Amino acid sequence: MLRIALCALAVLPLAACDEGPAGSSFSINSSDAEGNAGASIDGKGEATIDTPFFKGKVTLPKLKLDADNFKMNGVHLYPGSTISSMNVDVQDKGGEKQNGRVRVAFTSPAAPATVRSWFKEKLTAAGFTLSDKGNGLTGTTEERKTFALELTPDGADKSNGTITIE
């Protein structure tokens, strides 16, 4: 249960990152045999903590995440990218078996083809095994976890993306 509480409370230090106009949302959800716990911060700085032994809401400074705040095997997001949301879900099935998923939604200052090529080069060098899929990529991480990058155009020189690691 302590692991769940720590996971849920881990989101609080991130809230002091930035008070800029545009905020990112962040959530952590965890479950095990002892119960569920979660913590989240929305783009306005509203933080919610929900554990079996503590529930609360507080208003904190807005959280603003960018390319430098996220790294996969040493690879940051495409330069100049901003993160709109990050979700972490963990399920402890007992013993050492855990299921989890990280999902990051972001905006990049380049067309999808440029962002995809950049990621393919950097992540392949970091040990990922990747294949092109539409505007994105699919494959596995160095640790054999499922990886997907989806990109959509947002004007001529901008794209929206989602990275999912299972």
Side-chain angles (χ1 to χ4, degrees):
M1 184 57 73
L2 181 59
R3 180 188 61 78
I4 291 175
L6 292 175
C7 181
L9 294 173
V11 77
L12 289 178
L14 293 172
C17 292
D18 192 315
E19 291 191 48
S24 302
S25 65
F26 185 83
S27 68
I28 299 173
N29 297 298
S30 179
S31 64
D32 64 12
E34 297 180 26
N36 299 323
S40 64
I41 298 174
D42 67 16
K44 299 174 189 174
E46 297 294 321
T48 303
I49 300 170
D50 186 355
T51 70
F53 50 105
F54 176 78
K55 295 179 190 300
K57 290 185 178 187
V58 295
T59 301
L60 300 167
K62 291 178 188 173
L63 173 65
K64 177 128 170 80
L65 300 173
D66 60 26
D68 293 333
N69 300 117
F70 182 76
K71 197 179 336 181
M72 299 172 292
N73 294 43
V75 178
H76 290 281
L77 292 177
Y78 184 86
S81 295
T82 57
I83 297 173
S84 57
S85 67
M86 182 180 296
N87 305 96
V88 179
D89 294 306
V90 178
Q91 295 178 347
D92 185 348
K93 301 292 185 179
E96 294 194 21
K97 184 176 181 184
Q98 293 185 350
N99 294 331
R101 179 178 69 171
V102 175
R103 186 170 187 269
V104 178
F106 62 94
T107 301
S108 291
T114 302
V115 176
R116 180 187 61 212
S117 295
W118 185 89
F119 270 115
K120 190 170 186 177
E121 175 188 337
K122 300 290 185 183
L123 293 174
T124 299
F128 284 54
T129 303
L130 301 170
S131 300
D132 292 337
K133 181 177 180 188
N135 282 331
L137 300 167
T138 61
T140 57
T141 68
E142 180 181 62
E143 297 87 16
R144 311 302 302 159
K145 306 290 184 193
T146 305
F147 172 85
L149 168 66
E150 299 173 14
L151 295 163
T152 57
D154 184 13
D157 294 322
K158 197 173 179 185
S159 56
N160 294 315
T162 303
I163 291 173
T164 305
I165 302 173
E166 300 275 347

